[in-house]
């Protein structure tokens, strides 16, 4: 789930029961009433903050889908 606006190139997200930040360039967004984003181009680190220097919480696999609940900008 994307839970807020873009921050330093990262979206705040929840993945399962974990919360963190995912780099926006590796999420492909869809459209329609229930917007979704899918991890593309390999695995994606879920980080503790909006920076590549933040610790990795977990790794989301290629093709993982999240539901967008916040703004995309």
């Amino acid at each position: 789930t994307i839970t807020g606006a873009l921050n330093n190139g990262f979206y705040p997200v929840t993945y399962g029961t974990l919360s963190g930040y995912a780099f926006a360039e590796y999420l492909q967004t869809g459209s329609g009433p229930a917007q979704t984003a899918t991890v593309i181009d390999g695995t994606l680190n879920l980080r503790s903050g909006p920076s590549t220097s933040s610790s990795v919480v977990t790794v989301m696999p290629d093709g993982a889908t999240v539901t967008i609940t916040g703004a995309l900008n």
Side-chain angles (χ1 to χ4, degrees), residues 22-72:
F23 195 52
E25 287 189 32
Y26 293 96
L27 291 173
Q28 181 177 38
T29 57
S31 61
Q35 282 194 315
T36 60
T38 303
V39 175
I40 58 171
D41 294 333
T43 59
L44 178 60
N45 292 330
L46 180 65
R47 296 186 175 274
S48 61
S51 168
T52 55
S53 62
S54 297
S55 62
V56 175
V57 176
T58 194
V59 177
M60 297 179 287
D62 187 39
T65 301
V66 295
T67 301
I68 301 166
T69 61
L72 285 176

